[in-house]
Amino acid sequence: MDADPIRHIALIGFGEVGGIFGRDFAAEGLSVSVCDILFAAEPMRAVMLAKAKTAGVRACETLEEAIGGAELVISAVTVSSAAAVARNAAPFLRSGQTYLDVNSVSPETKCKIAAAVQPSMADFIEAAVMAPVAPQRLHVPMLLGGARAEAVAARLQSIGMNAKAVSERIGVASAIKMCRSIVIKGLEAITLESMLTARRYGAEDQVLASLAATYPEMGWDSTLPDYLISRAAEHGKRRAAEMREAAQTIADVGLEPWTALATAQRQDWLAQEIASHGLTVRAGVTFSWQELADAIANRSRLQEKSQEQVRVQR
């Protein structure tokens, strides 16, 4: 089977990652079938079906329909549903297929997913996506783990993916991803917390100047603060979910995941602040962390003033 080219790909999940992969695979002339729970859910059904049509992929309402005939099945769903999706897909998988899980979950969760797929005789491969997908699209670096990771890496490379096998054991690739995320998403969270606090005191310029003097190569006096905070602002809820998986990764080796859980809280907090205040943060639009900080502060002050007026009236 390894010598056979991949001609048909099934994507489970048609969000940001699934949408990018689906469009790019279709543009390469591959047959792509997609299954997403929103295909059968109003009011998003029409929007999602239009997205599939524009991408040149076939929208399927059932896993069985999507998976049938595919050499490669890619799971790109939410962190919380990755294991359940694998259990639901397993009855329709068969020997000769590859089930590639690209979700950002803990090593233990990847092992549970592998166990769910194993009875089908399909090859399970864990994938750790090591950078934001949108800029690099199919070429985003991806680490693979599993008994046939080397062979699958070669097949994925043949369809334009930047895949590298790192271990025959399930869990190593995701451990690399989770441990990296502790640093990257932790840096986002502490930058957010530091800058919003400094802004309230009018001290942000001095704080950034000090950071730039200490770490001159990082870009603290340039684009780094905007970039770090924009990632949390655009994807805070999703990143918080990933950090809870990172926390589980830490707990599974007997350590207390204090930093990872605090990072998840701060990422969640920003997502909630943006939603509750009706703010919008769109990818591809020039981002200013100062504008976001001021908007949150202003809305919070207005909310506090309104609450105070209600208390006085009572």
Side-chain angles (χ1 to χ4, degrees):
M1 289 295 296
D2 293 341
D4 294 338
I6 295 174
R7 297 188 178 91
H8 180 184
I9 298 171
L11 283 165
I12 307 176
F14 200 51
E16 181 186 18
V17 173
I20 290 171
F21 283 1
R23 180 184 289 271
D24 288 2
F25 286 139
E28 292 293 323
L30 297 169
S31 173
V32 183
S33 55
V34 180
C35 183
D36 192 291
I37 58 173
L38 294 181
F39 288 156
E42 299 294 351
M44 290 300 297
R45 174 178 167 80
V47 174
M48 292 295 288
L49 291 176
K51 177 182 175 181
K53 183 177 181 180
T54 300
V57 304
R58 181 169 62 92
C60 304
E61 293 191 5
T62 67
L63 288 170
E64 183 176 15
E65 181 187 2
I67 291 170
E71 294 90 14
L72 174 65
V73 180
I74 300 177
S75 173
V77 297
T78 60
V79 167
S80 61
S81 61
V85 164
R87 290 192 296 271
N88 292 336
F92 310 116
L93 296 170
R94 55 174 173 74
S95 176
Q97 289 181 309
T98 297
Y99 188 92
L100 182 72
D101 186 290
V102 303
N103 302 298
S104 297
V105 297
S106 70
E108 181 62 26
T109 301
K110 290 282 190 180
C111 289
K112 290 177 180 177
I113 294 170
V117 171
Q118 191 274 333
S120 72
M121 301 304 291
D123 293 320
F124 174 77
I125 300 294
E126 68 162 334
V129 180
M130 301 303 291
V133 173
Q136 300 183 68
R137 303 181 74 84
L138 283 184
H139 304 298
V140 66
M142 192 177 290
L143 305 181
L144 305 186
R148 291 170 53 77
E150 286 281 358
V152 171
R155 299 191 76 199
L156 296 181
Q157 291 162 12
S158 74
I159 57 172
M161 300 185 79
N162 182 9
K164 176 184 177 182
V166 293
S167 179
E168 293 183 354
R169 290 194 296 122
I170 301 299
V172 175
S174 52
I176 296 169
K177 165 75 171 180
M178 292 292 105
C179 292
R180 176 183 185 274
S181 290
I182 294 166
V183 176
I184 297 299
K185 293 169 181 64
L187 184 58
E188 294 169 359
I190 61 175
T191 299
L192 170 65
E193 195 166 286
S194 173
M195 290 300 100
L196 265 62
T197 303
R199 183 75 168 174
R200 299 285 182 97
Y201 283 102
E204 68 272 20
D205 291 343
Q206 291 85 349
V207 172
L208 288 171
S210 177
L211 288 169
T214 305
Y215 301 104
E217 304 299 323
M218 291 184 67
W220 287 108
D221 55 354
S222 182
T223 59
L224 183 63
D226 278 330
Y227 175 74
L228 292 174
I229 296 175
S230 73
R231 296 296 296 166
E234 291 172 20
H235 306 295
K237 185 175 180 181
R238 189 175 73 198
R239 296 168 97 72
E242 181 179 327
M243 286 312 299
R244 284 188 284 272
E245 287 290 318
Q248 186 60 53
T249 302
I250 297 165
D252 285 341
V253 297
L255 297 175
E256 293 289 343
W258 296 317
T259 304
L261 289 175
T263 297
Q265 280 186 293
R266 183 55 72 193
Q267 297 262 5
D268 253 339
W269 172 85
L270 183 59
Q272 290 164 7
E273 285 293 297
I274 289 172
S276 65
H277 293 317
L279 305 174
T280 57
V281 179
R282 296 190 300 273
V285 177
T286 302
F287 179 85
S288 165
W289 74 261
Q290 294 94 333
E291 290 181 7
L292 177 62
D294 291 347
I296 291 173
N298 291 337
R299 298 295 178 94
S300 296
R301 279 193 288 267
L302 287 172
Q303 195 172 58
E304 290 169 5
K305 185 176 180 180
S306 175
Q307 290 170 350
E308 179 62 26
Q309 289 173 342
V310 171
R311 282 194 294 269
V312 170
Q313 290 171 359
R314 288 177 179 173

